[in-house]
Amino acid sequence: MVITFVRPLAGPLPLHSVRSREGGRTRPPAALPFHRRAAAPLVPATAASVRPRCSLAIPVAERAALLDAIAAVGPDRGIFGVESATRSRIDALAAALEAATPTAAPVEHLSDLVDGRWRLLYTTLTILGRRRSQLSLSTAAKSGFVTLGELYQNVAVADAVAESVVQFRVLGRVEGAFSITATYTPLSGTRVGVAATGSTLEPPGLAKMLGDNVGLLTQIFDPTGWLDITYLDDAYRLGRDGKGRLFVLEKVAAEGGIGVEDTEGA
């Protein structure tokens, strides 16, 4: 999702051929490889298992104000757009929190603060108009065939790998997960460079149902580029990518495995 840092692409990132379980047909080959993994059920996450690893001077009032404003946005998390006044207010509250960050050089604290599993609360990365219609995504205001579930980012600092996971449900019955794995490289005390290394769709049979939309998902959520970590404490993280898009995430587990979805908090 998460975490999601995107640079402009020349076109959709293609995917390697995917063999469906129904009929053994193979789609044409392309670029990013698929790796098989178990799809995760859409179960609400909780931060109860996250334990602080260091003492930080957390700006409680600023953080609470931003979280309250985000909660009012609703379950779409900003992905399908918000009113301009709401977006401006959230951006101003985010900027106030960023100015009070207790972690001046977050890249120096990846192991003790960033390592783990994060859930997306709000973003200005949007899926609107033709893209939303093409993916047939349900929103709070309009129904569709595909309903987004949680969006996570699993960060494995020991391997310098991050995995963004988008959970969804098709026709209200079939649960699936699309993920993109990327490596990251520290560029400064606040910035990391990111390069996508592979993508995953589960269950594989959904590739036949989604067709070319798999490539569109890859283009939307491809994390290649750079990300500034603009706020960091032991429970929340804010980031802005090369396109200026904002991401607000909540830590839900101190450790998050890459390519393996757990059933609790997934």
Side-chain angles (χ1 to χ4, degrees), residues 112-233:
D112 54 325
L113 291 176
V114 177
D115 195 51
R117 184 172 176 84
W118 298 78
R119 181 169 63 99
L120 182 71
L121 299 180
Y122 175 82
T123 183
T124 55
L125 181 157
T126 55
I127 306 175
L128 303 172
R130 182 187 62 82
R131 285 183 165 185
R132 191 204 66 79
S133 298
Q134 183 174 337
L135 294 169
S136 191
L137 292 171
S138 291
T139 72
K142 188 175 182 179
S143 61
F145 293 115
V146 180
T147 303
L148 290 182
E150 298 289 4
L151 283 77
Y152 290 104
Q153 186 184 57
N154 300 317
V155 181
V157 173
D159 301 316
V161 172
E163 178 191 46
S164 298
V165 181
V166 181
Q167 297 181 348
F168 58 90
R169 182 179 287 113
V170 180
L171 298 173
R173 299 188 303 271
V174 182
E175 294 180 358
F178 176 77
S179 68
I180 294 182
T181 303
T183 58
Y184 64 84
T185 305
L187 300 178
S188 71
T190 59
R191 179 171 295 184
V192 293
V194 187
T197 57
S199 63
T200 305
L201 180 68
E202 280 293 335
L206 284 176
K208 182 178 180 180
M209 180 184 298
L210 297 177
D212 294 338
N213 287 339
V214 177
L216 180 56
L217 282 171
T218 304
Q219 185 181 24
I220 292 170
F221 292 104
D222 172 58
T224 302
W226 57 261
L227 178 83
D228 281 336
I229 302 174
T230 54
Y231 176 87
L232 179 66
D233 64 31

Side-chain angles (χ1 to χ4, degrees), residues 26-159:
T26 304
R27 297 186 59 77
L32 286 180
F34 268 109
H35 304 286
R36 297 188 61 181
R37 51 179 279 237
L42 305 181
V43 179
T46 174
S49 62
V50 180
R51 297 179 179 178
R53 297 188 179 185
C54 60
S55 178
L56 299 171
I58 295 173
V60 176
E62 291 88 345
R63 192 176 75 175
L66 175 61
L67 295 177
D68 286 346
I70 287 174
V73 170
D76 287 344
R77 291 152 293 192
I79 293 173
F80 302 118
V82 296
E83 294 183 358
S84 59
T86 300
R87 176 166 174 162
S88 295
R89 179 170 180 266
I90 290 176
D91 191 66
L93 292 170
L97 183 60
E98 290 166 332
T101 181
T103 313
V107 174
E108 298 177 5
H109 296 275
L110 297 178
S111 296
D112 54 325
L113 291 176
V114 177
D115 195 51
R117 184 172 176 84
W118 298 78
R119 181 169 63 99
L120 182 71
L121 299 180
Y122 175 82
T123 183
T124 55
L125 181 157
T126 55
I127 306 175
L128 303 172
R130 182 187 62 82
R131 285 183 165 185
R132 191 204 66 79
S133 298
Q134 183 174 337
L135 294 169
S136 191
L137 292 171
S138 291
T139 72
K142 188 175 182 179
S143 61
F145 293 115
V146 180
T147 303
L148 290 182
E150 298 289 4
L151 283 77
Y152 290 104
Q153 186 184 57
N154 300 317
V155 181
V157 173
D159 301 316

